[in-house]
Amino acid sequence: MELRIYIQMLQRSWWIVLLTALSALAVALALTFVATPIYQATARFVVSPTLSLADERDVVRSLEVLDKRSIVVTYAEVLDSYRIYNVTLAALNLTPEQLEDYIYSTVVLPEANILELSVEGPDPQMAMLLANNIGQQAIDYIRQLYSAYEIDFLDPATMPTVPIRPNPIRDASLAFVLGMVVGAVLAIIREQLRIPLETFIRRTMIDSTSLAFNRNYIERKLEEHVGRSSSAAVTMGLIQLDGLQGYLDVMPQPVIQRILREVTEVMREELRGNDLVGRWDNTIFAVLLFDTPGKAAVSTLGRVQAALSKPVRFSPDGEALNVRPKVGLVERQPGDPSGLIIDRAGEALDQAIGDETGLVLFKIRPLVGFG
């Protein structure tokens, strides 16, 4: 379940993943072109018992010692020592400052008495020269200390022709993959931040019980619409559910919720997509019909009234409630502010409650009922 949610998040914010991956790729390629190539020269050495040992048992003991790896590891430390490095620099007439861009290291190959010395630096010829000279200086030094074992070149270093870094193909591929991973993380974080924000915004405009818009949102939208132009047309309707009076305090909240949501759904089915339905009060709903004259609004809300006049089921057992809708409407006149429209809609609803038809359109002169 969670995996499916994350996949949906990535699908919605796929452009973040792609943009991050392409940005990482571009940065990697740019760094590749400006970076100084680094070359690696490698020399290998083999450690073995001295052939001049007279006693065969001494040779066997020497091999046993070699199996314990202590001799080979000691020789590796010698190759890595500052002493050998400084002697090598003196022999080549070089200073540490001249070689500050070079590094060297020695490793013992597993399951073998083989040492591998690697030197990395910007000049392939200097890297080869250092590897071979450090190796030779170490060999000379070791031979003075140990007579039972010999160390010698197995493979002298050769001048490398291809830098070990940067590697455009490898670096670009790695950067692209890492960019996708980072992009995916950013996309998920964005979605997680956006969804709570959308939820918060939705809570500020939606009535949680009926799932219609709340009164504040309806008032704000009405004010925005009439504020665009002094002649912007809009008809506002207030629908009171007379049959629900007295039940709000005695019915369980889930039942009230089910009834009000059914009412909201019925009204939305009868209205256009740009018309708004909101819960105005406990038992009153508001409807905004944009760019709709009064007579057309009467016809529209007449259909809404007829649909709401059918009993609303609120239980699996078929129990239903007749909400008995009463509808008051007002058509905005040129220059009318939103406050005046709301007041007149309330007056129309008061008239509708006492009218036979239960549907009244507000008029400046005596209110007229519609059958």
Side-chain angles (χ1 to χ4, degrees):
M1 183 68 176
E2 290 186 359
L3 179 60
R4 181 176 60 81
I5 294 174
Y6 286 132
I7 291 175
Q8 291 175 348
M9 288 181 177
L10 294 177
Q11 289 175 339
R12 284 193 295 265
S13 298
W14 63 268
W15 58 273
I16 294 181
V17 180
L18 181 60
L19 181 61
T20 307
L22 292 178
S23 299
L25 177 62
V27 171
L29 291 176
L31 293 177
T32 296
F33 286 113
V34 300
T36 302
I38 300 297
Y39 296 86
Q40 182 184 68
T42 301
R44 289 188 173 189
F45 306 86
V46 59
V47 179
S48 60
T50 302
L51 296 177
S52 60
L53 290 175
D55 194 335
E56 184 176 338
R57 286 176 298 180
D58 292 338
V59 174
V60 173
R61 282 195 297 270
S62 298
L63 291 173
E64 290 176 351
V65 173
L66 277 179
D67 285 340
K68 297 178 181 178
R69 314 293 288 168
S70 59
I71 295 297
V72 180
V73 172
T74 300
Y75 287 1
E77 292 296 328
V78 173
L79 282 165
D80 276 342
S81 67
Y82 287 114
R83 175 178 182 144
I84 297 300
Y85 183 68
N86 290 330
V87 171
T88 301
L89 295 187
L92 297 174
N93 293 321
L94 297 171
T95 64
E97 290 75 17
Q98 293 175 291
L99 300 178
E100 60 183 6
D101 294 329
Y102 292 81
I103 59 174
Y104 65 97
S105 62
T106 304
V107 296
V108 179
L109 299 186
E111 304 301 327
N113 297 320
I114 304 295
L115 304 175
E116 190 173 83
L117 170 66
S118 298
V119 179
E120 297 179 8
D123 185 347
Q125 186 173 3
M126 179 59 72
M128 176 192 68
L129 186 64
L130 282 174
N132 287 332
N133 276 272
I134 290 174
Q136 188 59 57
Q137 293 295 335
I139 289 172
D140 294 342
Y141 179 77
I142 291 171
R143 283 176 178 170
Q144 297 175 12
L145 297 179
Y146 298 95
S147 58
Y149 302 96
E150 289 187 353
I151 179 172
D152 208 345
F153 281 101
L154 177 63
D155 296 309
T158 58
M159 189 170 69
T161 57
V162 178
I164 60 170
R165 61 180 182 274
N167 185 323
I169 296 178
R170 180 196 63 196
D171 295 347
S173 301
L174 182 60
F176 188 80
V177 172
L178 290 177
M180 290 191 67
V181 172
V182 173
V185 173
L186 292 177
I188 291 174
I189 292 175
R190 174 184 178 272
E191 287 296 315
Q192 290 178 335
L193 292 176
R194 183 178 64 85
I195 291 173
L197 180 60
E198 288 181 349
T199 302
F200 174 75
I201 294 175
R202 183 175 176 82
R203 286 176 180 172
T204 64
M205 56 190 285
I206 297 294
D207 174 65
S208 60
T209 303
S210 65
L211 296 185
F213 293 111
N214 57 34
R215 179 167 179 163
N216 289 336
Y217 183 78
I218 294 294
E219 289 180 338
R220 186 167 72 249
K221 283 300 179 180
L222 177 62
E223 187 175 355
E224 289 175 0
H225 185 76
V226 300
R228 291 173 190 161
S229 170
S230 61
S231 59
V234 62
T235 296
M236 180 178 183
L238 292 180
I239 304 172
Q240 178 165 304
L241 308 179
D242 265 6
L244 199 56
Q245 293 281 7
Y247 287 97
L248 291 179
D249 296 330
V250 296
M251 279 187 171
Q253 184 62 24
V255 173
I256 296 297
Q257 183 182 80
R258 194 175 302 119
I259 294 173
L260 292 179
R261 290 184 180 183
E262 180 67 22
V263 168
T264 301
E265 189 62 29
V266 168
M267 285 195 285
R268 284 175 175 166
E269 288 177 357
E270 298 295 334
L271 299 174
R272 299 171 303 176
N274 63 331
D275 296 331
L276 299 182
V277 176
R279 190 180 181 197
W280 194 253
D281 204 342
N282 284 343
T283 59
I284 299 176
F285 281 77
V287 177
L288 292 183
L289 306 174
F290 298 111
D291 303 317
T292 304
K295 289 184 179 181
V298 168
S299 175
T300 300
L301 288 187
R303 295 197 309 270
V304 172
Q305 184 186 39
L308 290 177
S309 296
K310 299 176 182 178
V312 178
R313 290 187 178 183
F314 58 84
S315 76
D317 299 331
E319 293 180 278
L321 177 69
N322 190 342
V323 297
R324 300 198 307 274
K326 305 293 183 179
V327 183
L329 300 91
V330 60
E331 178 184 3
R332 186 206 183 194
Q333 303 300 313
D336 284 352
S338 60
L340 181 58
I341 296 172
I342 293 172
D343 290 342
R344 287 176 173 174
E347 292 179 27
L349 179 60
D350 290 340
Q351 291 292 323
I353 292 173
D355 189 87
E356 267 184 31
T357 64
L359 178 63
V360 169
L361 174 64
F362 179 86
K363 294 289 186 181
I364 299 296
R365 290 178 182 171
L367 300 173
V368 179
F370 286 80

